[in-house]
Amino acid sequence: MEIIREIDIEQRSRANDYVHEVYELVKKRNVGEKEFLQAAREIFDSLRPVFLQHPEFMHNGILERITEPDRVITFRVAWEDDTGKVHVNRGYRVQFNNSLGPYKGGIRFHPTVNSSIMKFLAFEQTFKNALTGQPIGAGKGGSDFDPKGKSEREIMRFTQSFITELSKYIGPDIDVPAGDIGVGKREIGYMFGQYNRLNGGYEAGVFTGKDPNHGGSLGRKEATGYGTVYFVDEMLKEKGDSFDGKTVVVSGSGNVATYAIEKAVQLGAKVLACSDSSGYIYDPNGIDVNTVKLLKEFDNKRIQEYTKFHKEAIFYEGCSGIWSVACDIALPCATQNELEETDALMLIKNGVKAVGEGANMPCTEEAILTFQAKGVLFAPAKAANAGGVAVSAMEMSQNSMRLSWTVEEVDEKLKTVMKNIYASCNNAASRFGSPGNLVVGANIAGFLKVADAMVAHGIH
Ligand code: NDP
């Protein structure tokens, strides 16, 4: 008995030392990349019990390999504005891991884009894509180009210039980009057109998130938001609860937020507030998602204009105030690190029961720990928002088969994927000693799939 305990202590300390040493190495190699290090730290903390049960992963250097991208491509994007002036932006594509399939992940156009943000997103994508159970690897790309205030033609010229360089590195069996912040079906259309022009063919499977009239999948635009709500619903069901009759706050009013609002309302909830980068609106009668779509999807207006259509709604300047609105369920769907510890404490004080991350890494580490310590149900991004990439993988399948599924078929498949992701996160959490902790469960379940494939494919 004594000997077994000693072995156990020795193995535990070997696993801890390994995780610690690799994290120090990652820190040294990625100096100043705070978002990437934040994402790595969260994964590392969850993985200690895995190395205890799977010492072969230490032997194979899986943690060192999984935290080093296959390659990071950076490039100059020169483009001409409507007055003929030339501008230069920086383009990125991080091809992180292709152990499970072609690199797959969105492209973001936003002035905050930098190497750290690209790497954190591509790293998270590695685990998220594995969780979907589909044959896709992980990547992410983008540019520090700001589409706000640009004309349609400027956006087209920039996007064409961006893809002219990136086209050398992508392809239906190599790397399949999609949209993200600032990149919707219009930009994907320009990228697709330019790629085909350069390659002299029609490679439907090289991008996802295309217009459903031109090779895209029905249900893709709704998939991330709907998927987040399906995942949170699974989490609530486990406790005998549901969205029905609940109050909800959703940050953002872009693609993910809009369809999270729509699905939450369809499931019987009342959404009290949503936001954009200038501030938030509170509507005591419940947010009307059709007005949000009208303003944001079709007209590119500020969310403040919602109050013109709904007289009882109030606009508040500044986005973080949205977390002071009392609600049962909070769905941060805007951007990374938008919900901090003080916001978490405020939500808890006001009685929040569940939080689901629609955006990537919207809650800081401290906020997550605060929710968990107070027993708030917490759905982490890499599981909860995997519905978008899951339907992207379905778009790839439809493109390969040259046929289209109905929106109902896609939605049914999405529901099944989200249920399965929930089950595998929940099971992994229990199996590795943290029952109910979906952060740990998602990290471990995603890691195991990629790590197994990496061991099977040999050292490279
Ligand atoms: P969009 O560009 O469609 O929307 C982003 C929204 O967030 C906009 O309303 C924007 O406002 C708002 N916003 C930006 N910063 C803030 C802030 N600090 N506070 C409040 N609102 C803010 O992007 P998506 O909806 O596609 O993406 C949102 C998040 O979801 C990102 O983290 C993305 O990586 C993630 N995600 C997206 C997927 C997808 O399928 N689209 C898939 C998985 C994850 P404004 O208009 O003023 O800029």
Side-chain angles (χ1 to χ4, degrees), residues 108 110 121 128 140 148 179-183 220 224 251-257 275-279 296 300-302 319-320 333-336 338 358-361 385-386 388-389:
R108 176 178 291 192
H110 195 271
L121 288 165
K128 180 189 315 199
K140 197 83 187 186
K148 279 208 187 87
D180 190 69
I181 294 180
V183 177
R220 171 62 185 90
T224 310
S251 64
S253 50
N255 174 258
V256 180
S275 58
D276 65 15
S277 58
S278 54
K296 299 303 246 181
N300 220 354
K301 295 257 167 56
R302 307 312 296 155
C319 348
S320 64
C333 294
T335 194
Q336 64 272 354
E338 54 161 312
N360 283 314
M361 208 166 76
N385 74 19
V389 77

Side-chain angles (χ1 to χ4, degrees), residues 3 12 65 70 75 78 90 162 177 189 209 243 246 260 325 364-366 369 391 411 422 426 441 455:
I3 293 172
R12 211 171 282 274
R65 287 160 60 197
D70 288 356
F75 49 97
R90 181 169 289 176
F162 178 86
F243 269 89
K246 299 289 186 304
V325 177
T364 62
E365 289 162 290
E366 297 77 16
L369 292 174
V391 172
D411 194 45
Y422 178 78
N426 209 20
V455 172

